[in-house]
């Protein structure tokens, strides 16, 4: 009951934020939004056609067919996300370089009512389209595993922040938030993709610990971008530097979702540390430790699915 109510609230917030963006959007920005939807669909179709062959050639593990299919599906998701993140980071770097990274060196300059560059508005429209696609996929198609609700909350908060900052003309600061997430997501997606390929010290040729090295890189990148730069640059700026800006009231309302994201960052980092603790536990292999969190999610989803099937038979 509470879960259904919570999802209703999240769905309502997504709708309201999207409606607010629609009211302030031009026909060009709506075209960019549609481009985000179509781009995500086209990427999924292209990778679905190519990845099965790639996966079979690169896969290093000895598992059953059912486990192989699960690993491929998750690998497909990671590659889709990885390609998107690389594209986004490239575009963000181009925008930051156009003003010599001024918004990062002096965050106050990002809070301005000057006209927003057209390329930044376009980028925002495409981003919103892909986030909405991710939210719909998460809401209606993905299995509801251990952290499904947390992930859906993250999608909802991201959509509200992107749509809200677009509606009040604060895309300059918004792209800084997106950049930190996209950079760390690239490392995260690479780490998870190698895990599903079985590229760990136990399975990969010559015992090369590809997945383990990327996992360490992921922890370092996550800690630096989401636990250091995000709170001490982004959250600090939105807390202390927006007094007197145009749309201050709405900016303060949106800041609540930044605090929410920070809480999620801490939670997911604690899950990574949990894996590290498992790795350091005597008698537990790196592969087993890395699978702890992912396997628990899959097993929980399988139990729920079986429970529903048994209920229908009754």
């Amino acid at each position: 009951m509470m879960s259904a109510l919570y999802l209703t609230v999240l769905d309502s917030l997504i709708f309201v934020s999207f409606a607010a963006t629609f009211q302030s959007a031009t026909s060009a920005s709506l075209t960019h939004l549609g481009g985000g939807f179509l781009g995500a669909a086209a990427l999924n179709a292209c990778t679905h056609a190519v990845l099965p062959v790639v996966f079979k050639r690169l896969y290093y593990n000895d598992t059953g067919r059912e486990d192989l299919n699960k690993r491929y599906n998750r690998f497909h998701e990671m590659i889709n996300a990885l390609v998107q993140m690389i594209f986004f980071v490239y575009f963000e770097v181009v925008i930051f370089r156009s003003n010599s990274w001024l918004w990062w060196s002096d965050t106050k300059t990002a809070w301005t009512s000057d006209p927003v560059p057209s390329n930044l508005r376009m980028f925002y429209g495409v981003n919103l389209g892909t986030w909405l696609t991710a939210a719909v996929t998460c809401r209606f198609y993905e299995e509801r595993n251990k952290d499904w609700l947390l992930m859906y909350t993250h999608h909802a908060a991201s959509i509200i922040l992107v749509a809200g900052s677009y509606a009040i003309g604060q895309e300059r600061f918004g792209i800084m938030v997106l950049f930190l997430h996209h950079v760390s997501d690239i490392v995260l997606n690479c780490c998870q993709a190698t895990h599903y390929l079985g590229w760990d010290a136990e399975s990969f040729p010559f015992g090369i610990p590809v997945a383990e090295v990327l996992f360490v890189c992921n922890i370092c990148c996550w800690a630096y971008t989401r636990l250091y730069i995000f709170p001490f640059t982004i959250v600090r700026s939105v807390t202390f530097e927006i007094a007197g800006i145009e749309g201050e009231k709405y900016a303060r309302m949106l800041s609540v979702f930044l605090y929410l994201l920070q809480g999620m960052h801490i939670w997911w980092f604690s899950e990574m540390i949990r894996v590290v603790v498992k790795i350091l536990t005597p008698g537990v292999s790196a592969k087993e430790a890395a699978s702890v969190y992912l396997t628990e999610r899959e097993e929980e989803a399988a139990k729920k699915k079986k429970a529903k099937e048994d209920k229908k038979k009754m």
Side-chain angles (χ1 to χ4, degrees):
M1 179 65 180
M2 285 302 294
S3 178
L5 178 61
Y6 183 68
L7 286 173
T8 301
V9 172
L10 286 180
D11 292 340
S12 300
L13 287 172
I14 290 176
F15 175 78
V16 169
S17 62
F18 179 66
T21 305
F22 183 85
Q23 289 295 324
S24 64
T26 62
S27 57
S29 59
L30 290 177
T31 301
H32 301 148
L33 174 66
F37 282 115
L38 294 176
L43 175 62
N44 185 68
C46 291
T47 54
H48 189 68
V50 175
L51 283 183
V53 177
V54 175
F55 182 77
K56 288 179 181 179
R57 288 183 175 276
L58 298 180
Y59 185 68
Y60 285 95
N61 215 326
D62 185 18
T63 58
R65 184 172 183 81
E66 184 178 353
D67 185 60
L68 183 65
N69 290 334
K70 286 181 179 180
R71 282 178 171 267
Y72 168 72
N73 290 334
R74 293 294 293 159
F75 174 75
H76 184 198
E77 291 175 19
M78 294 304 108
I79 295 301
N80 271 351
L82 177 62
V83 173
Q84 285 184 6
M85 295 307 108
I86 291 174
F87 167 77
F88 287 153
V89 167
Y90 171 78
F91 204 97
E92 286 156 354
V93 169
V94 169
I95 293 176
F96 291 139
R97 289 185 63 184
S98 66
N99 75 338
S100 302
W101 299 81
L102 178 62
W103 303 332
W104 286 102
S105 58
D106 183 5
T107 51
K108 291 181 180 179
T109 60
W111 299 104
T112 175
S113 57
D114 294 341
V116 179
S118 58
N119 61 344
L120 181 49
R121 299 283 285 184
M122 179 196 73
F123 178 75
Y124 243 66
V126 173
N127 248 281
L128 182 57
T130 54
W131 273 115
L132 286 167
T133 303
V136 170
T137 302
C138 182
R139 179 73 169 87
F140 298 105
Y141 298 104
E142 290 186 3
E143 291 184 335
R144 301 194 177 187
N145 48 42
K146 179 181 178 181
D147 68 342
W148 179 89
L149 191 56
L150 187 64
M151 182 60 71
Y152 187 65
T153 303
H154 180 272
H155 289 333
S158 299
I159 290 171
I160 293 166
L161 284 167
V162 173
S165 56
Y166 181 98
I168 65 175
Q170 295 297 343
E171 293 95 325
R172 293 175 181 84
F173 192 77
I175 194 175
M176 296 169 68
V177 178
L178 290 171
F179 179 67
L180 290 179
H181 284 78
H182 293 158
V183 167
S184 59
D185 279 345
I186 287 177
V187 184
L188 174 63
N189 291 325
C190 287
C191 175
Q192 292 188 333
T194 55
H195 169 74
Y196 291 116
L197 283 172
W199 285 16
D200 51 72
E202 293 181 31
S203 304
F204 201 70
F206 308 109
I208 301 175
V210 178
E212 289 87 343
V213 170
L214 283 174
F215 180 65
V216 173
C217 292
N218 177 54
I219 289 180
C220 295
C221 183
W222 188 283
Y224 181 66
T225 57
R226 302 202 187 197
L227 301 184
Y228 176 65
I229 297 180
F230 189 85
F232 294 107
T233 298
I234 301 299
V235 175
R236 177 194 60 78
S237 180
V238 79
T239 304
F240 301 109
E241 296 180 347
I242 64 174
I245 68 166
E246 185 176 338
E248 177 186 350
K249 178 176 70 173
Y250 301 106
R252 297 225 179 259
M253 291 171 62
L254 289 173
S255 68
V256 173
F257 295 96
L258 288 175
Y259 302 142
L260 177 62
L261 287 182
Q262 184 60 65
M264 295 182 193
H265 297 165
I266 296 171
W267 167 259
W268 276 314
F269 186 74
S270 71
E271 292 292 331
M272 297 177 201
I273 298 302
R274 182 184 170 205
V275 173
V276 173
V277 172
K278 281 286 184 181
I279 291 176
L280 298 177
T281 301
V284 179
S285 67
K287 181 189 294 185
E288 292 172 334
S291 300
V292 168
Y293 182 53
L294 299 170
T295 303
E296 283 183 357
R297 292 192 302 173
E298 291 168 357
E299 287 179 349
E300 185 171 340
K303 287 179 182 178
K304 288 183 178 180
K305 186 176 180 180
K306 187 177 185 302
K308 285 184 179 180
E309 292 175 351
D310 293 341
K311 190 175 181 180
K312 287 181 180 178
K313 291 178 182 180
M314 294 175 63

XYZ file of all heavy atoms in Angstrom, residues 173 177 229-241 255 258-259 262:
163
model
N 24.189 25.685 -14.410
C 24.503 24.946 -13.187
C 24.072 23.490 -13.327
O 24.744 22.581 -12.839
C 23.800 25.587 -11.990
C 24.284 25.074 -10.663
C 25.494 25.517 -10.135
C 23.558 24.134 -9.951
C 25.961 25.040 -8.919
C 24.006 23.655 -8.740
C 25.219 24.113 -8.211
N 26.015 19.461 -12.707
C 25.503 18.294 -11.977
C 25.514 17.061 -12.886
O 25.961 15.972 -12.494
C 24.078 18.564 -11.462
C 23.520 17.326 -10.750
C 24.061 19.763 -10.524
N 33.449 16.363 -4.848
C 33.098 17.523 -5.677
C 31.612 17.854 -5.556
O 31.239 19.037 -5.424
C 33.469 17.276 -7.151
C 34.974 17.089 -7.296
C 33.016 18.458 -8.014
C 35.423 16.846 -8.729
N 30.764 16.843 -5.605
C 29.321 17.103 -5.572
C 28.894 17.863 -4.308
O 28.246 18.913 -4.411
C 28.542 15.789 -5.696
C 27.062 15.975 -5.884
C 26.521 16.181 -7.141
C 26.200 15.958 -4.791
C 25.151 16.369 -7.315
C 24.838 16.126 -4.948
C 24.309 16.341 -6.209
N 29.228 17.391 -3.107
C 28.780 18.131 -1.910
C 29.510 19.451 -1.701
O 28.895 20.446 -1.300
C 29.041 17.153 -0.769
C 30.117 16.258 -1.262
C 29.888 16.120 -2.738
N 30.821 19.492 -1.987
C 31.604 20.684 -1.653
C 31.633 21.743 -2.764
O 32.111 22.852 -2.541
C 33.029 20.281 -1.273
C 33.090 19.483 -0.005
C 33.362 18.123 -0.033
C 32.838 20.088 1.219
C 33.397 17.382 1.135
C 32.876 19.352 2.395
C 33.153 18.000 2.362
N 31.128 21.392 -3.935
C 31.022 22.381 -5.018
C 29.562 22.631 -5.373
O 29.079 23.760 -5.323
C 31.790 21.914 -6.269
O 33.174 21.780 -5.954
C 31.641 22.936 -7.397
N 28.845 21.569 -5.723
C 27.461 21.697 -6.170
C 26.522 22.054 -5.024
O 25.818 23.073 -5.064
C 26.999 20.399 -6.855
C 27.895 20.066 -8.058
C 25.540 20.519 -7.271
C 27.902 21.101 -9.143
N 26.486 21.206 -4.008
C 25.565 21.433 -2.882
C 25.921 22.722 -2.144
O 25.031 23.487 -1.742
C 25.590 20.225 -1.916
C 24.731 20.516 -0.690
C 25.101 18.965 -2.626
N 27.205 22.986 -1.977
C 27.628 24.231 -1.311
C 27.137 25.463 -2.085
O 26.613 26.418 -1.496
C 29.153 24.271 -1.209
C 29.704 25.560 -0.587
C 31.184 25.705 -0.823
N 31.515 25.735 -2.246
C 31.364 26.806 -3.022
N 30.876 27.928 -2.528
N 31.694 26.748 -4.304
N 27.274 25.422 -3.407
C 26.872 26.568 -4.219
C 25.369 26.805 -4.163
O 24.915 27.938 -3.989
C 27.313 26.348 -5.674
O 26.943 27.450 -6.478
N 24.583 25.731 -4.301
C 23.126 25.889 -4.305
C 22.607 26.267 -2.916
O 21.506 26.807 -2.769
C 22.441 24.598 -4.800
C 22.374 23.548 -3.710
C 21.052 24.886 -5.352
N 23.413 26.032 -1.890
C 23.008 26.382 -0.529
C 23.358 27.825 -0.172
O 22.564 28.519 0.472
C 23.673 25.436 0.489
O 23.344 24.072 0.163
C 23.196 25.734 1.903
N 24.518 28.300 -0.620
C 25.021 29.603 -0.161
C 25.151 30.686 -1.238
O 25.376 31.849 -0.905
C 26.393 29.426 0.499
C 26.388 28.495 1.682
C 26.986 27.250 1.611
C 25.756 28.869 2.864
C 26.982 26.393 2.696
C 25.750 28.020 3.957
C 26.359 26.774 3.879
N 25.015 30.351 -2.521
C 25.331 31.321 -3.567
C 24.160 31.744 -4.448
O 24.359 32.423 -5.444
C 26.442 30.764 -4.478
C 27.758 30.546 -3.766
C 28.845 30.002 -4.672
O 28.512 29.566 -5.809
O 30.022 30.014 -4.271
N 16.726 22.345 -4.905
C 17.910 21.925 -4.146
C 17.605 20.734 -3.240
O 18.510 19.959 -2.904
C 18.449 23.095 -3.312
O 17.552 23.447 -2.268
N 18.713 17.723 -4.887
C 20.165 17.556 -4.859
C 20.605 16.897 -3.554
O 21.488 16.031 -3.540
C 20.861 18.911 -5.022
C 20.811 19.553 -6.409
C 21.445 20.936 -6.379
C 21.519 18.672 -7.438
N 19.993 17.322 -2.443
C 20.292 16.689 -1.153
C 19.890 15.212 -1.182
O 20.581 14.356 -0.612
C 19.556 17.403 -0.022
C 19.866 18.876 0.103
C 18.872 19.791 0.426
C 21.159 19.358 -0.108
C 19.149 21.149 0.543
C 21.450 20.708 0.007
C 20.440 21.597 0.326
O 20.723 22.936 0.427
N 22.446 13.259 -2.989
C 23.646 13.072 -2.174
C 23.466 11.904 -1.212
O 24.394 11.115 -0.991
C 23.960 14.344 -1.392
C 25.244 14.276 -0.578
C 26.461 14.026 -1.445
O 26.822 14.844 -2.278
N 27.100 12.887 -1.260
